[in-house]
Amino acid sequence: MKRILISFFAVLLLGAVASCSSVPEKNPNLQRQWMLISFGNFSKQELIKNKAEVNLTGVMEKGRIKGRASMGCNNIFFNSEFKSGGKVKISGVGSTLKVCQNMELETAFGQKFDKMTNYSIEGHFLTLSDDNGNSMKFVAADWD
């Protein structure tokens, strides 16, 4: 009987340990699809026409999110780290290499995006900015 109880509890303990898994980090205020609505000299209509967006819905691991973006032509990928105090680090920016008719927005975005060092979230708006006064403003795609 003692052996049966020990075996039973061993199996029970093993099952409990096996069912434990780490829960991925999640920040629902940040990990969203964001539509670009203000950037440089580009009009809001032009940004909407190009379906300019940054997608931060990827899994967060150790405070880092693998993100995607599109400015109307190529698929852009990057790593982002949103830190306390409104600081952000964007690195590993790359993209597919399609040549499209109008690449002005994509080129400008590529030159500025990884230079953004600050972020703020106010309601359904995300703003990225650098120390030189450049900024990008986004609205959450799921906001009605």
Side-chain angles (χ1 to χ4, degrees):
M1 182 70 174
K2 192 175 184 181
R3 280 187 163 170
I4 293 173
L5 282 175
I6 291 173
S7 297
F8 175 74
F9 285 118
V11 169
L12 190 61
L13 180 63
L14 191 62
V17 170
S19 69
C20 291
S21 64
S22 62
V23 176
E25 299 172 57
K26 186 77 171 164
N27 182 341
N29 291 328
L30 178 64
Q31 288 180 270
R32 304 166 97 165
Q33 181 181 5
W34 296 96
M35 308 307 292
L36 186 59
I37 58 170
S38 176
F39 171 56
N41 293 325
F42 298 96
S43 70
K44 185 174 181 180
Q45 290 75 23
E46 189 174 2
L47 299 172
I48 291 169
K49 178 183 171 196
N50 283 313
K51 297 180 183 172
E53 70 165 7
V54 168
N55 189 321
L56 297 174
T57 61
V59 175
M60 183 184 292
E61 293 179 5
K62 298 181 183 175
R64 294 185 183 109
I65 303 169
K66 289 187 179 189
R68 300 183 317 265
S70 176
M71 295 295 124
C73 180
N74 286 287
N75 295 317
I76 302 165
F77 46 89
F78 58 91
N79 295 310
S80 59
E81 191 173 356
F82 291 83
K83 304 175 183 181
S84 62
K87 295 294 181 185
V88 64
K89 180 178 180 183
I90 298 169
S91 61
V93 178
S95 74
T96 55
L97 299 173
K98 293 186 280 185
V99 177
C100 300
Q101 194 168 18
N102 182 355
M103 301 216 22
E104 289 177 35
L105 173 59
E106 190 165 310
T107 301
F109 181 83
Q111 291 171 345
K112 299 283 184 192
F113 187 56
D114 65 350
K115 310 284 187 293
M116 298 292 129
T117 55
N118 304 296
Y119 81 98
S120 67
I121 298 175
E122 295 175 12
H124 296 285
F125 296 97
L126 167 68
T127 303
L128 301 178
S129 60
D130 64 16
D131 296 328
N132 297 320
N134 298 303
S135 67
M136 301 175 176
K137 187 170 185 176
F138 303 84
V139 65
D142 60 356
W143 184 64
D144 305 305

